């Protein structure tokens, strides 16, 4: 029995779709758990991507009997969760399930009375449970040396892979077989002869990536309601894709094209990718977010969105358009401490550090101190331009006198002449940009130390 690490203790509506929904109606699930006292609050929960949600609660009866009667439930992998958040899994695919086990040995004592799907699942789980115990015996055997243990582990793992395939073939079409198949790594075919080592590695990588989702049937939504799909989705974007906007955009389009075979997959994949790139801390990846908003949400493909939500998304996207990495920064003219207007584009330097600040801001003062310590002799030629939020002039002059250097250009955004949200997407202070000699955006929303690291990477 495992411990549920993430369980949302409220009922949350799952993803609904117009087509291809796999649902069970009038489900009647009964579990008898020896050793379970009466009156325990048991919860039936289901997976959705990387989350788990409670579907229904039921009090245990005498003899450890627990019953759930559910109007509708998605086909997928579910959990019976104990009050201490321990749980065991079962397949929800049939309207009637009867299972019996012992609280202290759920897998070993499991008896599936009514459910072909769960009989298959627990045949596999019992095998895998025994295999894990055998592996542990090898680790605990003090008479074996490390080399012997490694050889025995390798042999058992190879036999385990063969056994997995046997289960898949034996129970083809079952949910258990789908779970196993989706978890088995594709083995790339042999590379053509005559290639260099680097070319062979590249061939195998692209072959592996091409077939990464072969064992996911996107026309059926059942694996979406399991812990299998979400990690594969994240692995494809994070590990199998070059972390550059163009490559990531191509990857998201590929994923959404595959997911379009099923409304539920499409909705989950699009929402997950949008949230991922809206929250990304990787510098200059917000172009991916903008692409998803423009080409899917604002293009009318997110049919579940209401007008108010779409308007908010459009606003957030519009605030990114003028400040994408690689684009020319928006020029502006703002007054310096003497009231003389200074233009951003008039500042000549190999690099410009554009720092958006405000007075009475301790983090801002810390960043200003860090910038002032940057050595012009070590780093390429750069100029610091600060843009302060409009505020008390005396306080501003005090900050400039103590925290900045004489060769900096210090400006104040008087009367909001510069639309900092629209043009630079300033949501908080301090915010730093690094511009090249043509005032193209090299880096943004970075720390002073990241600027130093960038220069040191040359």
């Amino acid at each position: 029995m495992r411990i549920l690490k993430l369980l949302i203790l409220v009922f949350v509506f799952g993803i609904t779709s117009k087509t291809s929904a796999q649902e069970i109606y009038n489900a009647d699930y009964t579990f008898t758990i020896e050793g379970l006292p009466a009156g325990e609050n048991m919860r039936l929960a289901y997976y959705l991507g990387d989350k788990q949600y409670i579907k229904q609660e039921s009090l245990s009866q005498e003899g450890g009997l627990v019953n759930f009667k559910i109007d509708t439930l998605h086909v997928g992998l579910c959990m019976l969760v104990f009050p201490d958040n321990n749980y065991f899994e079962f397949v929800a695919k049939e309207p009637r399930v009867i299972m019996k086990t012992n609280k202290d040995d759920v897998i070993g004592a499991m008896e599936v009375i009514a459910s072909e799907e769960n009989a298959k699942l627990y045949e596999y789980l019992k095998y895998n449970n025994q295999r894990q115990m055998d592996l542990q015996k090898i680790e605990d055997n003090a008479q074996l040396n490390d080399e012997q243990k490694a050889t025995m582990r390798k042999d058992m793992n190879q036999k385990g892979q063969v056994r997995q395939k046997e289960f898949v073939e034996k129970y083809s079409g079952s949910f258990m077989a789908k779970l196993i198949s989706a978890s088995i790594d594709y083995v790339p075919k042999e590379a053509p002869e005559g290639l260099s080592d680097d070319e062979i590695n590249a061939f195998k990588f692209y072959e592996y990536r091409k077939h990464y989702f072969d064992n996911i049937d996107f026309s059926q939504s059942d694996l979406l309601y399991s812990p299998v799909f979400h990690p594969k989705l994240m692995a494809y974007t994070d590990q199998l894709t070059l972390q550059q906007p163009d490559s990531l955009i191509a990857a998201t389009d590929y994923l959404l094209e595959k997911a379009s075979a099923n409304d539920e997959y499409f909705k989950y994949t699009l929402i997950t990718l949008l949230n991922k790139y809206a929250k990304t801390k990787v510098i200059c990846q917000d172009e991916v977010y903008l692409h998803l908003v423009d080409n899917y949400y604002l293009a009318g493909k997110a049919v579940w969105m209401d007008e108010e939500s779409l308007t908010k998304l459009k606003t957030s996207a519009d605030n990114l358009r003028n400040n994408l990495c690689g684009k020319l920064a928006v020029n502006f003219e703002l007054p310096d401490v003497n009231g003389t207007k200074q233009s951003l584009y008039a500042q000549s330097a190999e690099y410009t550090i554009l720092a958006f600040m405000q007075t009475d801001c301790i983090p801002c003062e810390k960043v200003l101190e860090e910038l002032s310590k940057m050595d012009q002799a070590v780093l390429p030629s750069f100029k610091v331009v600060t843009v302060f939020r409009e505020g008390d002039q005396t306080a501003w002059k005090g900050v400039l006198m103590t925290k900045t250097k004489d060769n900096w250009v210090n400006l104040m955004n008087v009367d909001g002449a510069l639309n900092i949200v629209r043009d630079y997407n300033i949501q908080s202070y301090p915010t730093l940009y690094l511009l090249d000699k043509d005032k193209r955006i090299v880096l943004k929303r970075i720390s002073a130390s990241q600027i130093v690291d960038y220069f040191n990477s040359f």
Side-chain angles (χ1 to χ4, degrees), residues 8-282:
I8 297 178
L9 300 178
V10 294
F11 178 78
V12 180
F13 287 102
I15 291 177
T16 59
S17 67
K18 298 181 294 181
T19 62
S20 303
Q22 291 180 275
E23 294 184 332
I24 308 157
Y25 298 95
N26 300 318
D28 189 342
Y29 293 165
T30 300
F31 305 91
T32 301
I33 305 164
E34 296 176 352
L36 180 68
E40 294 287 287
N41 186 42
M42 304 294 288
R43 294 156 289 171
L44 189 152
Y46 64 91
Y47 287 98
L48 176 55
D50 64 335
K51 303 287 192 303
Q52 304 91 33
Y53 300 100
I54 289 177
K55 180 67 175 180
Q56 194 176 101
E57 299 183 0
S58 179
L59 293 178
S60 60
Q61 302 171 31
E62 291 294 333
L65 183 69
V66 185
N67 179 256
F68 298 91
K69 287 183 170 59
I70 304 169
D71 292 339
T72 60
L73 181 65
H74 289 280
V75 172
L77 195 65
C78 288
M79 297 157 281
L80 186 63
V81 187
F82 292 79
D84 61 359
N85 277 357
N86 279 307
Y87 70 101
F88 67 86
E89 295 167 328
F90 66 95
V91 177
K93 191 174 180 180
E94 302 146 301
R96 182 169 175 262
V97 170
I98 302 175
M99 301 170 69
K100 181 180 179 180
T101 190
N102 186 287
K103 186 176 184 293
D104 298 323
D105 183 17
V106 170
I107 295 178
M110 181 62 73
E111 179 183 355
V112 180
I113 299 168
S115 172
E116 291 185 7
E117 284 286 340
N118 283 292
K120 296 166 184 174
L121 175 68
Y122 273 87
E123 181 183 346
Y124 175 73
L125 290 179
K126 286 182 179 182
Y127 154 75
N128 199 50
N129 197 44
Q130 183 60 52
R131 179 172 168 274
Q132 294 300 322
M133 289 190 290
D134 291 342
L135 283 169
Q136 191 59 51
K137 287 179 183 178
I138 293 174
E139 295 301 320
D140 296 339
N141 191 336
Q143 296 180 353
L144 299 173
N145 60 38
D146 290 344
E147 184 177 349
Q148 290 172 319
K149 289 180 180 181
T151 300
M152 294 178 72
R153 282 197 303 268
K154 182 179 180 180
D155 180 63
M156 285 195 66
N157 286 333
Q158 289 175 340
K159 290 179 179 178
Q161 291 171 2
V162 172
R163 193 75 178 97
Q164 278 187 328
K165 293 179 181 178
E166 290 175 351
F167 270 107
V168 171
E169 292 173 1
K170 181 179 178 181
Y171 295 126
S172 177
S174 70
F175 188 76
M176 178 272 295
K178 286 187 176 184
L179 283 173
I180 296 175
S181 295
S183 303
I184 295 176
D185 270 345
Y186 173 80
V187 179
K189 63 183 180 181
E190 290 296 320
E193 294 184 1
L195 299 181
S196 67
D197 289 345
D198 287 344
E199 289 171 333
I200 290 173
N201 290 334
F203 175 87
K204 289 184 176 180
F205 172 79
Y206 288 112
E207 185 74 7
Y208 177 80
R209 189 175 71 169
K210 178 181 177 181
H211 293 278
Y212 189 66
F213 289 103
D214 279 3
N215 292 328
I216 299 284
D217 181 1
F218 282 93
S219 69
Q220 302 292 318
S221 64
D222 48 5
L223 286 181
L224 181 59
Y225 294 88
S226 81
V228 169
F229 177 67
H230 184 86
K232 290 185 77 73
L233 178 65
M234 293 297 99
Y236 189 86
T237 56
D238 295 344
Q239 300 169 28
L240 301 182
T241 303
L242 184 66
Q243 299 300 292
Q244 299 292 335
D246 288 348
S247 298
L248 290 168
I249 287 171
T252 58
D253 286 343
Y254 168 77
L255 290 167
L256 288 163
E257 181 182 2
K258 294 189 77 67
S260 65
N262 179 284
D263 289 348
E264 292 180 281
Y265 266 122
F266 181 78
K267 182 175 182 179
Y268 180 83
T269 302
L270 182 54
I271 290 173
T272 300
L273 292 174
L274 185 78
N275 288 338
K276 173 181 175 61
Y277 293 106
K279 300 173 183 176
T280 183
K281 294 182 180 179
V282 180

Side-chain angles (χ1 to χ4, degrees), residues 428-440:
S428 62
Y429 297 94
T431 297
L432 301 183
Y433 275 72
L434 179 65
L435 314 179
D436 68 11
K437 61 183 177 62
D438 298 318
K439 302 301 181 288
R440 290 188 183 278

Side-chain angles (χ1 to χ4, degrees), residues 259-323:
S260 65
N262 179 284
D263 289 348
E264 292 180 281
Y265 266 122
F266 181 78
K267 182 175 182 179
Y268 180 83
T269 302
L270 182 54
I271 290 173
T272 300
L273 292 174
L274 185 78
N275 288 338
K276 173 181 175 61
Y277 293 106
K279 300 173 183 176
T280 183
K281 294 182 180 179
V282 180
I283 299 167
C284 295
Q285 279 191 1
D286 46 14
E287 189 174 344
V288 186
Y289 172 82
L290 184 61
H291 172 80
L292 292 171
V293 173
D294 284 346
N295 292 276
Y296 294 92
Y297 284 88
L298 300 184
K301 297 178 182 179
V303 295
W304 58 89
M305 295 286 286
D306 58 42
E307 287 299 321
E308 182 180 356
S309 299
L310 284 173
T311 299
K312 290 180 180 178
L313 268 182
K314 184 179 185 305
T315 299
S316 70
D318 288 343
N319 291 339
L320 292 173
R321 297 187 194 283
N322 294 327
N323 49 83

